[in-house]
Amino acid sequence: SSYFNRGLAKQALKDHRGAISDFDRAIQISPKDALSYHYRAISKSSQDENGAALQDFNIAIELSPKDVQSYLQRGVLFAKLNDLPLAVRDFNKVVELNPSAQEKFQAFYSRGLCKAKMGDYKGAIADYSSAIESNNKRPQPFLERGKNYIKVEEFEKALGDLNEAIK
């Protein structure tokens, strides 16, 4: 709908209040459109309306259970709320759903961050390694994997990763 598209434009311009209003109208017109809920959730989350954002992601997933982006974004929201087990569950689902290379990178990298926060350093290292396999051009997973190698006292591997992150 025109409201949905205008909502996307407002969202891109960081007018999240206006975007939410347009997505509200799009949902009134097409209450089964998962994308309207998904994008409204993103705007609500950016406004720290986290409970409402979570509800919208849940509806988006219910309407479109194979939508990788809704699981990915809901996982990011769970991580932001420090609900790490639920974040990990959503990132696991992303990996299951045949994501694009970029989505796979995001899922493994984000899941690694959660596992590290939970004290699962070896699990985090494995996820950062998978993120690097998906996209070895970005320094962040090398940095994070290096920090986790330090935690498990594998200093040579840490040094290699930290040197790679600095390049």
Side-chain angles (χ1 to χ4, degrees):
S1 83
S2 299
Y3 287 109
F4 174 78
N5 289 309
R6 190 171 73 177
L8 289 178
K10 287 179 180 180
Q11 190 174 68
L13 294 169
K14 308 279 188 241
D15 174 12
H16 292 289
R17 286 270 136 251
I20 290 167
S21 177
D22 281 345
F23 294 133
D24 287 344
R25 294 293 302 274
I27 288 166
Q28 286 173 346
I29 294 165
S30 300
K32 300 267 187 240
D33 179 30
L35 282 177
S36 293
Y37 290 98
H38 172 90
Y39 285 103
R40 185 172 73 176
I42 291 171
S43 281
K44 285 180 175 180
S45 178
S46 72
Q47 298 293 293
D48 284 325
E49 295 174 23
N50 297 317
L54 200 52
Q55 282 182 316
D56 278 354
F57 280 130
N58 291 343
I59 293 167
I61 287 167
E62 194 177 302
L63 292 170
S64 185
K66 294 192 184 323
D67 179 37
V68 171
Q69 277 297 315
S70 288
Y71 285 104
L72 191 57
Q73 295 298 328
R74 187 176 72 176
V76 168
L77 179 57
F78 278 135
K80 174 180 166 184
L81 298 173
N82 215 31
D83 197 337
L84 302 177
L86 288 179
V88 167
R89 184 194 68 190
D90 276 355
F91 297 137
N92 290 344
K93 188 70 177 174
V94 169
V95 173
E96 268 175 46
L97 286 173
N98 195 24
S100 70
Q102 180 58 32
E103 291 164 337
K104 190 182 288 188
F105 171 84
Q106 287 180 281
F108 282 125
Y109 180 74
S110 299
R111 190 172 73 181
L113 291 173
C114 291
K115 286 181 178 178
K117 272 188 173 175
M118 293 163 61
D120 177 8
Y121 305 119
K122 288 191 187 298
I125 288 167
D127 280 344
Y128 296 134
S129 297
S130 295
I132 289 164
E133 281 175 35
S134 297
N135 180 349
N136 67 358
K137 305 281 185 263
R138 301 187 58 183
Q140 301 96 320
F142 288 102
L143 172 64
E144 295 301 331
R145 188 172 70 178
K147 288 165 36 181
N148 282 271
Y149 275 135
I150 290 169
K151 301 255 192 215
V152 297
E153 299 184 8
E154 292 188 38
F155 300 111
E156 289 293 327
K157 289 179 179 177
L159 190 59
D161 275 358
L162 297 171
N163 285 335
E164 191 63 38
I166 291 170
K167 280 185 185 174

